[in-house]
Structure formats: C-alpha cells, structure tokens
Amino acid sequence: MIQHGPLLERLLRGEFICQVSDEDAFRHLSDLKTHEDIDHYLRPLNRRLVASTDGSVFFLGYVELNGAAREQLTRQFNETIQALLPLLEWMQLVQEAMGQDRALSAGDTLKLQEFVLRCEDNQSLRQRLNQLAADRFFNSHSEALDNQIKLIFRRLKEHGYLLQPHTERQYYIVTGKIDYLIELIQFIRSEEHLPIESEPTQEGLL
C-alpha cells in the first residue's frame, strides 16, 4: 500500500477526489483493484472508499456506524448544514447570472470577471450577492461587488468546490464536490425531511 500512501492520507484528511481536482488520482481510484486494495487497508479503521451515485467523485465513508462514527458524521453533517443555504444561493445566482437552465456540475468553467459584469448590470443580483457575501460562511466586510465576488470564489476554492488552474488567471472549474453536495441535498429532502425545500431559490437546483 506504500504506492497509495499519499492518496490515502488525502482521503483520510477528508478530501474529495474527482477528475477535475486530480485526474491521475481519480483514475487510480476508479480502478477496481485499487479500490479493493484501499478498502482492505481502511477496514481496520472502520473506513471505506465511497463514490457518488454518478461516480464523479470519491471520498471516505464508514463501514459501520458505531458511536465514534456517528459522532463524527453528526459533526460533519452540522457543518455542512450551516454552509448549505449560502452554497445553494450561490449556485442559484450563478445559474441566473450566466443564463443556465441547469445546476452546476463537475467540469463547468466559471469566469470571475464575466460573472462580475453580469451581476453589475442587475440590481436584484447585486443585492442578493451583497447579502450572500455578508453571510458568516463567506464573511465579507467589503461593499465593493468585485471584492465580494472574489472572496466568495476564494472561499469556495478553499472548501474544495472550485479549482483555480492558474493563480494569475481568474477562471475556476467546478469540482465533483458540487455533485456530492447536490446528492446530499436530495438525500436530506427524501430521507430526513428537513425543511430546506421551503427555500424558493433551491427548487430549480434539484
């Protein structure tokens, strides 16, 4: 398992591996033999390799939901719930500003300056972005639209939802973690019955 050591460390840190974030690692994880080897190694840790329903992203799950696993999952779930509404609002804003008729998915490219220009010309989008940037998930204290958007994109990059291939160029690629997020939302709506479906800006995403 030495050859998989760095990849295992990343997964154990909670990283999401997709074709956008790391094409080579994603290809390794897509190999059935590698998948089985990693599962065999992780089993004593009560962990296993999991893929999203469409296979676009890999991450770690638990083999058995014992007390420690439930505690960790509860903590992760609560953190995700706190970020859920601002993330959904951002996705909806992107759809409206860019004139898209579908939710974002892995591989989509977003040009920051184009997004800024489209929002500058729409008072409603400007107001919503101002409120979104002030949300504690993004925590912007700037009143300038371009600074707000830059901070939002930077935070999304830090949380693994966006990849910036070149630091000197202001365009971003959506990672497979977005697909995981949408899958989680669908699970919450179908299994947990949490009241997120009452938010009107979310309906078009699902």
Side-chain angles (χ1 to χ4, degrees):
M1 292 300 296
I2 295 178
Q3 71 271 28
H4 302 310
L7 185 53
L8 281 165
E9 290 179 2
R10 292 171 59 189
L11 289 165
L12 287 168
R13 286 198 302 266
E15 288 193 31
F16 289 71
I17 308 294
C18 71
Q19 198 166 9
V20 172
S21 63
D22 192 329
E23 186 174 1
D24 188 55
F26 179 79
R27 186 173 63 253
H28 282 303
L29 294 177
S30 300
D31 179 75
L32 181 58
K33 180 63 166 60
T34 301
H35 194 135
E36 292 175 346
D37 287 345
I38 288 178
D39 275 349
H40 179 74
Y41 178 84
L42 290 172
R43 182 167 289 277
L45 303 177
N46 191 30
R47 306 303 295 273
R48 64 189 178 92
L49 187 62
V50 180
S52 59
T53 301
D54 62 1
S56 65
V57 62
F58 289 99
F59 52 96
L60 291 191
Y62 289 93
V63 178
E64 296 181 5
L65 284 179
N66 55 28
R70 287 184 182 278
E71 182 179 341
Q72 176 68 12
L73 280 174
T74 298
R75 183 163 56 250
Q76 292 175 350
F77 185 77
N78 288 336
E79 291 174 356
T80 303
I81 289 298
Q82 290 175 7
L84 197 59
L85 294 182
L87 285 169
L88 286 172
E89 173 65 1
W90 173 76
M91 293 171 71
Q92 184 72 19
L93 282 169
V94 171
Q95 278 186 256
E96 294 182 20
M98 308 308 290
Q100 298 177 349
D101 58 0
R102 61 174 180 81
L104 289 172
S105 62
D108 287 346
T109 298
L110 300 175
K111 297 180 179 178
L112 188 144
Q113 197 55 40
E114 182 181 357
F115 184 62
V116 170
L117 291 173
R118 295 203 179 198
C119 291
E120 282 180 339
D121 295 334
N122 188 309
Q123 184 62 29
S124 174
L125 292 180
R126 286 177 62 96
Q127 292 176 348
R128 288 166 58 189
L129 268 169
N130 185 59
Q131 294 176 344
L132 180 63
D135 185 276
R136 61 180 179 175
F137 181 75
F138 297 112
N139 198 31
S140 171
H141 300 289
S142 175
E143 295 183 1
L145 179 68
D146 59 340
N147 289 337
Q148 292 173 347
I149 293 176
K150 286 178 181 177
L151 176 63
I152 288 173
F153 275 61
R154 186 165 71 247
R155 290 277 190 269
L156 292 168
K157 174 184 170 183
E158 291 170 354
H159 285 276
Y161 294 101
L162 295 178
L163 176 74
Q164 186 180 14
H166 306 285
T167 55
E168 71 279 4
R169 300 177 64 184
Q170 294 297 306
Y171 77 91
Y172 297 78
I173 301 176
V174 178
T175 72
K177 194 172 181 181
I178 284 285
D179 296 335
Y180 161 81
L181 179 69
I182 293 176
E183 201 167 290
L184 176 63
I185 295 165
Q186 292 170 337
F187 168 76
I188 291 171
R189 292 184 63 179
S190 64
E191 301 296 335
E192 296 297 325
H193 307 295
L194 295 181
I196 65 168
E197 60 190 66
S198 63
E199 296 290 330
T201 59
Q202 298 163 15
E203 202 63 38
L205 294 170
L206 306 175

